[in-house]
Short mmCIF file of all heavy atoms in Angstrom, two decimals:
data_model
loop_
_atom_site.label_atom_id
_atom_site.label_comp_id
_atom_site.label_asym_id
_atom_site.label_seq_id
_atom_site.Cartn_x
_atom_site.Cartn_y
_atom_site.Cartn_z
N SER A 83 274.19 119.83 49.34
CA SER A 83 275.14 118.70 49.35
C SER A 83 275.59 118.39 50.77
O SER A 83 275.71 117.21 51.15
CB SER A 83 276.35 119.02 48.48
OG SER A 83 275.97 119.09 47.13
N ARG A 84 275.85 119.42 51.56
CA ARG A 84 276.25 119.19 52.96
C ARG A 84 275.11 118.55 53.74
O ARG A 84 275.33 117.66 54.56
CB ARG A 84 276.66 120.51 53.62
CG ARG A 84 278.04 120.96 53.21
CD ARG A 84 278.60 122.09 54.04
NE ARG A 84 277.61 122.72 54.93
CZ ARG A 84 277.63 123.99 55.27
NH1 ARG A 84 278.57 124.79 54.81
NH2 ARG A 84 276.73 124.48 56.10
N LEU A 85 273.89 119.02 53.48
CA LEU A 85 272.72 118.45 54.15
C LEU A 85 272.57 116.97 53.80
O LEU A 85 272.32 116.13 54.68
CB LEU A 85 271.46 119.22 53.74
CG LEU A 85 270.14 118.69 54.31
CD1 LEU A 85 270.08 118.93 55.80
CD2 LEU A 85 268.97 119.34 53.61
N LEU A 86 272.75 116.63 52.53
CA LEU A 86 272.67 115.23 52.11
C LEU A 86 273.78 114.39 52.75
O LEU A 86 273.55 113.25 53.15
CB LEU A 86 272.73 115.12 50.59
CG LEU A 86 271.49 115.56 49.82
CD1 LEU A 86 271.74 115.49 48.32
CD2 LEU A 86 270.29 114.71 50.20
N ALA A 87 274.99 114.96 52.85
CA ALA A 87 276.10 114.23 53.46
C ALA A 87 275.81 113.94 54.93
O ALA A 87 276.06 112.83 55.42
CB ALA A 87 277.39 115.02 53.31
N LYS A 88 275.26 114.92 55.63
CA LYS A 88 274.90 114.70 57.04
C LYS A 88 273.80 113.65 57.16
O LYS A 88 273.82 112.80 58.04
CB LYS A 88 274.45 116.01 57.68
CG LYS A 88 275.57 116.95 57.99
CD LYS A 88 275.05 118.20 58.67
CE LYS A 88 276.18 119.19 58.93
NZ LYS A 88 275.68 120.42 59.57
N SER A 89 272.84 113.73 56.25
CA SER A 89 271.75 112.77 56.25
C SER A 89 272.28 111.35 55.98
O SER A 89 271.84 110.39 56.62
CB SER A 89 270.71 113.16 55.20
OG SER A 89 269.65 112.24 55.20
N GLU A 90 273.24 111.24 55.07
CA GLU A 90 273.83 109.93 54.77
C GLU A 90 274.56 109.39 55.99
O GLU A 90 274.45 108.21 56.32
CB GLU A 90 274.78 110.02 53.58
CG GLU A 90 275.38 108.66 53.24
CD GLU A 90 276.38 108.74 52.10
OE1 GLU A 90 277.09 109.74 51.99
OE2 GLU A 90 276.46 107.74 51.36
N GLN A 91 275.28 110.25 56.71
CA GLN A 91 275.98 109.81 57.92
C GLN A 91 274.98 109.34 58.97
O GLN A 91 275.19 108.32 59.64
CB GLN A 91 276.84 110.94 58.47
CG GLN A 91 278.05 111.26 57.63
CD GLN A 91 278.79 112.49 58.13
OE1 GLN A 91 278.35 113.17 59.04
NE2 GLN A 91 279.93 112.77 57.51
N ALA A 92 273.89 110.09 59.13
CA ALA A 92 272.87 109.71 60.10
C ALA A 92 272.24 108.36 59.74
O ALA A 92 272.03 107.51 60.60
CB ALA A 92 271.79 110.79 60.18
N HIS A 93 271.97 108.18 58.45
CA HIS A 93 271.38 106.91 58.02
C HIS A 93 272.38 105.75 58.16
O HIS A 93 271.98 104.63 58.49
CB HIS A 93 270.86 107.02 56.58
CG HIS A 93 269.55 107.72 56.50
ND1 HIS A 93 269.44 109.09 56.47
CD2 HIS A 93 268.27 107.26 56.48
CE1 HIS A 93 268.17 109.44 56.40
NE2 HIS A 93 267.44 108.33 56.42
N ALA A 94 273.63 106.01 57.91
CA ALA A 94 274.65 104.98 58.10
C ALA A 94 274.72 104.58 59.57
O ALA A 94 274.85 103.38 59.89
CB ALA A 94 276.01 105.47 57.61
N GLN A 95 274.58 105.55 60.47
CA GLN A 95 274.55 105.24 61.91
C GLN A 95 273.31 104.43 62.26
O GLN A 95 273.38 103.49 63.06
CB GLN A 95 274.60 106.52 62.74
CG GLN A 95 274.65 106.28 64.23
CD GLN A 95 275.88 105.49 64.65
OE1 GLN A 95 276.99 105.76 64.19
NE2 GLN A 95 275.70 104.51 65.51
N GLN A 96 272.18 104.76 61.64
CA GLN A 96 270.97 103.99 61.87
C GLN A 96 271.13 102.54 61.41
O GLN A 96 270.65 101.61 62.08
CB GLN A 96 269.78 104.63 61.15
CG GLN A 96 269.30 105.91 61.78
CD GLN A 96 268.18 106.55 60.98
OE1 GLN A 96 267.82 106.08 59.90
NE2 GLN A 96 267.62 107.63 61.51
N VAL A 97 271.83 102.35 60.30
CA VAL A 97 272.09 100.99 59.81
C VAL A 97 272.95 100.24 60.82
O VAL A 97 272.65 99.09 61.17
CB VAL A 97 272.77 101.02 58.42
CG1 VAL A 97 273.29 99.63 58.03
CG2 VAL A 97 271.80 101.53 57.36
N ARG A 98 274.01 100.90 61.31
CA ARG A 98 274.88 100.24 62.30
C ARG A 98 274.11 99.91 63.58
O ARG A 98 274.25 98.81 64.13
CB ARG A 98 276.08 101.13 62.62
CG ARG A 98 277.11 101.18 61.49
CD ARG A 98 278.40 101.87 61.94
NE ARG A 98 278.21 103.28 62.27
CZ ARG A 98 278.23 104.28 61.40
NH1 ARG A 98 278.41 104.03 60.11
NH2 ARG A 98 278.06 105.52 61.80
N ASP A 99 273.26 100.84 64.03
CA ASP A 99 272.46 100.58 65.23
C ASP A 99 271.49 99.42 65.00
O ASP A 99 271.32 98.57 65.88
CB ASP A 99 271.68 101.84 65.63
CG ASP A 99 272.58 102.96 66.12
OD1 ASP A 99 273.77 102.70 66.43
OD2 ASP A 99 272.10 104.12 66.18
N ALA A 100 270.86 99.40 63.84
CA ALA A 100 269.92 98.31 63.53
C ALA A 100 270.66 96.98 63.45
O ALA A 100 270.14 95.94 63.90
CB ALA A 100 269.19 98.61 62.22
#
Side-chain angles (χ1 to χ4, degrees):
S83 293
R84 283 192 350 212
L85 177 69
L86 287 176
K88 285 182 183 179
S89 180
E90 181 183 34
Q91 289 173 355
H93 282 84
Q95 183 61 44
Q96 288 176 354
V97 169
R98 287 190 296 275
D99 292 345

